[in-house]
Amino acid sequence: MKKSVKHLMYIVMPCLVALASCSHRGSVVETLSPDGSIRIDISTKHNVLRYRVFCNNNEVISESPMGFTFSDAEDFGDSLEVVDIRRHSMNETWSPVWGTDASIKNFYNETVITLKEYSRLQRNLVLTVRAYDDGVAFRYTIPGQVGDSLYIVSENTGFRFAADDSVWWIPAGEFAYESLYRNTRLSEVPDAATPMTVSTKDGVWLCVHEAALVNYSEMYLQQSEAGKPVFRTALWPEPDGIAARVETPFTSPWRCIIIGMNAGGMATSHLIQNLNEDCRIEDTSWIRPVKFVGIWWGMHIGKYTWFEGPQQGATTERTKEYIDFAAAHGIEAVLAEGWNKGWETWAGNSVAVQDFCAPAKGFDLDKVVRYADSKGVRFISHHETGCNIPMYEAQLDSAMQLCRKLGIGYLKTGYAGPVIPEGYPHHGQYMVKHYQRVVETAAKYQICLDVHESIKPTGLDRTWPNLMSQEAIRGNEWNATYKATPPSHTTILPFTRFVAGPADYTPGIFKVNHSPEKNKRLYCTLSHQLALYVVFYSPMMMVSDMIENYENVPAFGFIEDIPCSWHESIIPLCRPGDYVCTARRYGDTWYVGAITDENCRLLTIPLWYLGNEGSYLAEIWCDARECDWEKSPGSIEYFRLKVSSGDSLLAALSKTGGWVMKLSRWKESAEGCSSVKDFNQQSKEKMPVFAKSATIGEKATTHRAYQKPVKYVNNFSMKFAASGNKALSDGIRGNYNFAANWQGFEGNDMDVVLDLGSVTDITSISTAFLDSPNDWIFAPKRVVFSVSTDGNSFKTIAEKTPEASDEGSAGITRIASVSVAVGKLSGRYVRVVAENVGVCPSWHQGRGKKAWLFCDEVVVE
């Protein structure tokens, strides 16, 4: 196969003649999208560069600044004037090597504006502006002589949103983008990583991101006017304060805003890819999407270790077992993390020093690769750098030469830990250049990459399609020994992180309640995990559970069949944060997946996308009537139906549930089919049963402190802020999933005062604390309850000592409830002081380091 194919429909070459799509009126240069619905204006009013964005004549981005601040030169100030305008339009269709769609339309109007300072420096600045039917983008070019350098301290591109709309976001500084998405008003966002997704009151969806990030710092958004929906582009500075060192002529990454008339349209946009250069790899025949199993999940849940020893996961014999399983089930590849020497340095919380050319004891690399070849299975190697960049770069060529020599064409890399050299940010220019060097070196040796703890995708997979997948997401590993995620998380990701590009979420955990003895599990059903193979996309798609958990499970057939590259993808219905249904086509076969949050739902799945091409066989795997996320998450049932494009199917999803369907051409030999009418009736009949099951995060019984204000004497952690200032009175009970509905305090005591609003009779006070030492969370040493009528003078009514963890219980997660009956006491203010253990105890792996205290709802009766 050759590199991606372009089908050029027409190009209007650059000219100086005004076009209808772009006009220059005084100090404003307009650029219209091809269909006229979207417009971006560039203004030089008062000789200062600014821009505005409109959708259907409604302003979505108000006048916002542009430009740079340099350490070694004057900024572009208020002396810019337009000296040249060149315009052209492009309408092409190109074919990616792999992806969610077999052909991608790249249709835009472009304006290239040359500006010049009339001050003494008389420098030029070139602004390239594009308007698409699904968004806008612009980038800067600073002309100059090759070798001339610029030191960029900051970029002044602003985003002044026209309204304080609803936004989905994660904080910019949390490690590897592995955060839960918040849904707030724009004015409540202090800083955010991109993509950041906004839902306007008019029903328009906006997603702010960047494209073609090379040799520059990552962009994130920082609130620039307190309490207002106004942001500036922030860059990560390196130790000397410089964010980017560049040589002229220099061109920045694209700053882009994807615009959709609905959430599904925004989520399926290809604008980010369209802003990148065409494929640079001449022969792409070696780049092939794969599904793979791997020795991975067992390490995360504590069954195996990455390093050598009695519980070593990656052994020759175990890897051969995985290869046998893959060959028997049509899985193309096998990953073995921990195959190489050096893991003991990384696991020991010291500087990682690994050898990517030397196998660990008990692992014969040559034998494993030869055995995999004999079974028609590819071996996926693994390089965990521990973010020791000099160490990895010193081995990069030799390690990839070894892969090439052995015929290893797939590689997973990892960057867990702080960057070495010390002081360099994970997403600054130094690391961006490193990630790109690895991609290009891998291409040289014909190796496909799955990069974990990486920089976010910015569409570079179009240019370098061997960059097949990146993590940059809170994935399934958090549901192992880390912090389980709420079911709503997966319904948000298609409209946030996945807008940037493929993600290795590592779905497919069939043993949902994987460690009941430790109260560790996933908060979803098996059907939910199945549906992720349709809802999410990665051309290197992991089948993530241990292979023994797939044996004799008929639903595994769905994973065996599903492809890793598609000809067409749509989202026929969705409500981000609540549910999403995605349909994808390969050839003339469609796959449909739907997931829900903590609520059960009856979704109406349309089939109009089948077209007028006859009947199809629908094979459906869904939550069985007895399915219950808490008690029986693996209960699943299978149906066969004869359907056509005019039908609609009712999908009954249990709480946290899922639903998947394969649609293939009807054959008269098909047997055992139910009618659509009967299937829909059975779906309706499931709903009352599903509604009776427990709800994750359900509201507590309304009580006197419910929704009342809470005063925090010591600050809580914004990383685990639950519902903000009212988290302890939000009416939602916590559970073993401490990623939601708990208020976290790192190293501090919890000292809170709840104002009941008026003096009232109090009979009891209760609360709860999380005890999860494996996650550095400990029940408090002591809890003191006090009551006051005036908020100044408090009467202590009880002291309690919750059950505390001791040596040997580090892997167990418990909830320690604390309550006190006070008889009948009048008071308006209730104070609860919980004494943090302070630092992790001597028996703990984190001994001497700050311990966490997590508190739940304070209930006042």
Side-chain angles (χ1 to χ4, degrees):
M1 178 189 287
K2 294 296 183 182
K3 63 182 180 181
S4 58
V5 178
K6 283 186 177 182
H7 307 286
L8 189 61
M9 297 178 66
Y10 68 82
I11 302 178
V12 180
M13 296 303 295
C15 62
L16 293 175
V17 179
L19 300 178
S21 62
C22 176
S23 62
H24 178 207
R25 298 183 307 172
S27 60
V28 177
V29 180
E30 297 179 351
T31 308
L32 276 175
S33 63
D35 68 1
S37 66
I38 294 171
R39 187 177 96 231
I40 177 169
D41 290 355
I42 303 299
S43 166
T44 53
K45 183 180 178 181
H46 304 305
N47 302 108
V48 175
L49 191 60
R50 295 184 177 91
Y51 78 100
R52 299 167 74 192
V53 179
F54 298 82
C55 178
N56 295 326
N57 294 320
N58 294 319
E59 187 178 61
V60 292
I61 300 292
S62 301
E63 194 171 81
S64 300
M66 307 176 85
F68 298 94
T69 298
F70 307 104
S71 72
D72 58 338
E74 293 181 20
D75 303 345
F76 291 105
D78 58 356
S79 63
L80 285 170
E81 59 182 359
V82 175
V83 295
D84 188 27
I85 301 173
R86 296 178 181 265
R87 315 172 178 97
H88 79 269
S89 296
M90 175 72 78
N91 190 350
E92 66 176 3
T93 299
W94 61 279
S95 299
V97 176
W98 47 260
T100 58
D101 293 280
S103 62
I104 295 173
K105 189 173 185 179
N106 188 21
F107 192 12
Y108 63 82
N109 292 322
E110 180 180 272
T111 309
V112 180
I113 307 167
T114 302
L115 303 109
K116 188 170 186 175
E117 295 176 306
Y118 59 79
S119 63
R120 64 181 181 83
L121 294 178
Q122 296 190 350
R123 296 171 296 181
N124 286 344
L125 175 65
V126 179
L127 192 65
T128 304
V129 182
R130 289 184 186 175
Y132 296 76
D133 292 341
D134 58 349
V136 299
F138 57 85
R139 65 178 176 183
Y140 307 93
T141 297
I142 301 176
Q145 299 298 316
V146 174
D148 287 352
S149 62
L150 286 172
Y151 291 172
I152 297 173
V153 175
S154 63
E155 184 180 322
N156 302 326
T157 305
F159 295 87
R160 180 179 290 272
F161 290 89
D164 191 15
D165 286 315
S166 175
V167 59
W168 296 98
W169 63 282
I170 56 173
E174 291 188 15
F175 179 70
Y177 316 96
E178 295 181 357
S179 305
L180 289 173
Y181 277 84
R182 284 82 158 158
N183 184 208
T184 68
R185 292 290 165 189
L186 281 160
S187 59
E188 299 176 77
V189 180
D191 59 69
T194 68
M196 184 181 82
T197 300
V198 178
S199 172
T200 74
K201 63 181 182 300
D202 299 321
V204 174
W205 287 75
L206 313 173
C207 186
V208 178
H209 193 38
E210 61 182 320
L213 173 59
V214 179
N215 193 21
Y216 198 69
S217 170
E218 174 199 62
M219 152 193 172
Y220 67 95
L221 301 179
Q222 190 172 68
Q223 192 176 77
S224 55
E225 295 184 21
K228 294 183 179 180
V230 182
F231 299 87
R232 70 175 185 90
T233 293
L235 307 175
W236 296 103
E238 296 188 343
D240 61 357
I242 305 301
R245 293 169 172 79
V246 299
E247 289 185 358
T248 61
F250 157 73
T251 297
S252 75
W254 292 94
R255 278 60 188 104
C256 45
I257 303 169
I258 301 169
I259 302 174
M261 298 304 109
N262 53 61
M266 181 274 298
T268 53
S269 166
H270 290 288
L271 187 143
I272 302 300
Q273 289 172 290
N274 279 331
L275 290 167
N276 279 264
E277 295 179 6
D278 194 22
C279 180
R280 291 189 185 176
I281 301 172
E282 185 64 29
D283 177 11
T284 61
S285 60
W286 51 274
I287 303 174
R288 298 177 182 172
V290 292
K291 288 195 294 282
F292 64 97
V293 291
I295 302 168
W296 175 81
W297 184 248
M299 275 92 100
H300 280 284
I301 65 173
K303 185 174 182 178
Y304 307 130
T305 63
W306 277 275
F307 47 85
E308 298 171 355
Q311 291 180 285
Q312 181 178 344
T315 64
T316 300
E317 292 308 310
R318 182 168 292 114
T319 309
K320 289 171 70 176
E321 290 175 6
Y322 273 70
I323 291 168
D324 289 340
F325 176 88
H329 293 275
I331 306 296
E332 294 96 338
V334 170
L335 165 73
E337 292 199 9
W339 70 269
N340 64 295
K341 282 190 175 297
W343 272 92
E344 66 281 355
T345 65
W346 186 81
N349 292 321
S350 59
V351 175
V353 180
Q354 300 213 30
D355 189 335
F356 301 116
C357 293
K361 292 179 181 178
F363 191 91
D364 189 323
L365 180 62
D366 289 343
K367 182 182 289 186
V368 165
V369 173
R370 288 197 306 271
Y371 188 77
D373 286 343
S374 73
K375 296 284 187 173
V377 174
R378 306 297 300 270
F379 177 73
I380 300 178
S381 188
H382 182 235
H383 295 169
E384 174 50 68
T385 70
C387 228
N388 186 338
I389 304 307
M391 177 270 296
Y392 189 43
E393 292 198 344
Q395 299 183 59
L396 190 57
D397 268 286
S398 59
M400 292 201 179
Q401 283 175 5
L402 176 63
C403 289
R404 178 69 170 163
K405 175 185 175 182
L406 295 176
I408 298 171
Y410 296 88
L411 172 65
K412 178 179 178 178
T413 60
Y415 294 87
V419 176
I420 298 170
E422 185 177 354
Y424 282 83
H426 224 278
H427 302 142
Q429 185 183 30
Y430 175 81
M431 287 301 294
V432 169
K433 291 171 68 175
H434 167 76
Y435 293 130
Q436 190 62 26
R437 179 185 174 188
V438 174
V439 169
E440 296 185 26
T441 304
K444 172 183 171 183
Y445 292 103
Q446 296 193 346
I447 296 170
C448 299
L449 292 176
D450 174 9
V451 189
H452 276 229
E453 296 85 34
S454 68
I455 194 75
K456 67 200 178 188
T458 61
L460 288 166
D461 53 77
R462 178 184 181 181
T463 311
W464 301 96
N466 65 311
L467 178 57
M468 297 191 81
S469 194
Q470 294 164 261
E471 188 185 32
I473 199 170
R474 187 189 183 100
N476 246 345
E477 68 182 30
W478 283 74
N479 294 315
T481 56
Y482 303 126
K483 301 90 178 172
T485 56
S488 59
H489 179 60
T490 49
T491 72
I492 299 166
L493 292 175
F495 311 96
T496 50
R497 164 60 182 84
F498 277 94
V499 177
D504 187 11
Y505 184 86
T506 57
I509 303 302
F510 273 27
K511 190 176 180 182
V512 172
N513 195 2
H514 57 80
S515 304
E517 75 284 357
K518 299 177 182 178
N519 290 321
K520 300 285 187 179
R521 57 160 302 147
L522 281 70
Y523 289 87
C524 66
T525 69
L526 188 156
S527 296
H528 189 111
Q529 287 289 302
L530 272 186
L532 295 182
Y533 285 90
V534 187
V535 175
F536 292 169
Y537 179 66
S538 175
M540 283 183 68
M541 182 68 87
M542 191 172 190
V543 182
S544 304
D545 210 336
M546 295 182 293
I547 56 175
E548 53 264 37
N549 294 330
Y550 295 130
E551 296 288 4
N552 303 315
V553 182
F556 191 72
F558 182 81
I559 292 178
E560 291 177 326
D561 289 346
I562 198 165
C564 291
S565 193
W566 302 97
H567 294 126
E568 184 179 357
S569 297
I570 60 172
I571 298 178
L573 66 157
C574 62
R575 193 161 70 211
D578 294 334
Y579 62 85
V580 58
C581 173
T582 301
R584 302 191 194 272
R585 179 180 62 83
Y586 184 82
D588 56 6
T589 301
W590 284 88
Y591 292 80
V592 182
I595 55 175
T596 184
D597 60 359
E598 69 275 8
N599 299 300
C600 56
R601 298 185 190 278
L602 186 66
L603 300 179
T604 301
I605 308 295
L607 301 181
W608 53 261
Y609 38 87
L610 296 180
N612 299 317
E613 299 186 18
S615 298
Y616 280 74
L617 171 65
E619 298 177 80
I620 298 168
W621 293 259
C622 56
D623 298 320
R625 184 185 297 262
E626 64 274 14
C627 185
D628 182 301
W629 71 268
E630 189 174 29
K631 300 172 183 176
S632 54
S635 295
I636 195 168
E637 57 185 344
Y638 173 73
F639 292 90
R640 291 160 60 89
L641 312 174
K642 183 179 181 180
V643 301
S644 61
S645 61
D647 290 319
S648 292
L649 301 179
L650 296 182
L653 283 71
S654 68
K655 295 175 181 179
T656 78
W659 192 93
V660 294
M661 173 171 60
K662 178 183 177 183
L663 293 156
S664 51
R665 293 286 190 176
W666 176 259
K667 296 179 181 179
E668 292 302 328
S669 58
E671 298 177 351
C673 291
S674 303
S675 70
V676 171
K677 181 179 178 181
D678 288 346
F679 175 80
N680 286 346
Q681 181 59 35
Q682 289 183 56
S683 296
K684 291 178 183 177
E685 291 170 357
K686 288 180 184 179
M687 296 308 296
V689 181
F690 290 163
K692 291 179 181 178
S693 63
T695 303
I696 294 175
E698 66 184 337
K699 292 200 177 295
T701 304
T702 301
H703 53 91
R704 285 177 170 79
Y706 175 65
Q707 292 293 341
K708 297 297 194 303
V710 183
K711 176 185 177 183
Y712 293 84
V713 176
N714 295 326
N715 291 333
F716 55 83
S717 166
M718 284 304 299
K719 185 174 182 180
F720 297 104
S723 304
N725 286 325
K726 287 188 178 179
L728 299 183
S729 63
D730 62 5
I732 303 176
R733 292 191 179 278
N735 50 47
Y736 295 121
N737 168 22
F738 74 78
N741 306 328
W742 293 89
Q743 192 74 287
F745 300 82
E746 186 180 17
N748 290 334
D749 294 343
M750 183 189 81
D751 189 345
V752 299
V753 178
L754 289 85
D755 183 356
L756 306 183
S758 62
V759 175
T760 185
D761 290 340
I762 300 171
T763 58
S764 67
I765 307 169
S766 63
T767 189
F769 298 90
L770 197 63
D771 193 41
S772 184
N774 195 63
D775 304 300
W776 298 35
I777 300 171
F778 299 84
K781 292 193 290 186
R782 184 178 59 149
V783 183
V784 179
F785 297 92
S786 306
V787 173
S788 170
T789 56
D790 59 9
N792 296 313
S793 177
F794 284 85
K795 177 183 178 181
T796 299
I797 56 175
E799 293 187 12
K800 294 281 186 175
T801 303
E803 180 182 358
S805 298
D806 53 20
E807 190 168 359
S809 64
I812 301 174
T813 300
R814 296 174 290 198
I815 294 176
S817 297
V818 183
S819 61
V820 56
V822 299
K824 189 174 182 180
L825 183 69
S826 294
R828 173 175 173 173
Y829 300 92
V830 173
R831 185 176 187 180
V832 182
V833 179
E835 187 178 351
N836 195 325
V837 300
V839 296
C840 298
S842 60
W843 56 265
H844 192 271
Q845 62 175 345
R847 55 186 173 275
K849 296 182 179 179
K850 288 182 180 180
W852 285 87
L853 183 149
F854 271 55
C855 188
D856 184 26
E857 185 83 355
V858 177
V859 177
V860 180
E861 302 286 3

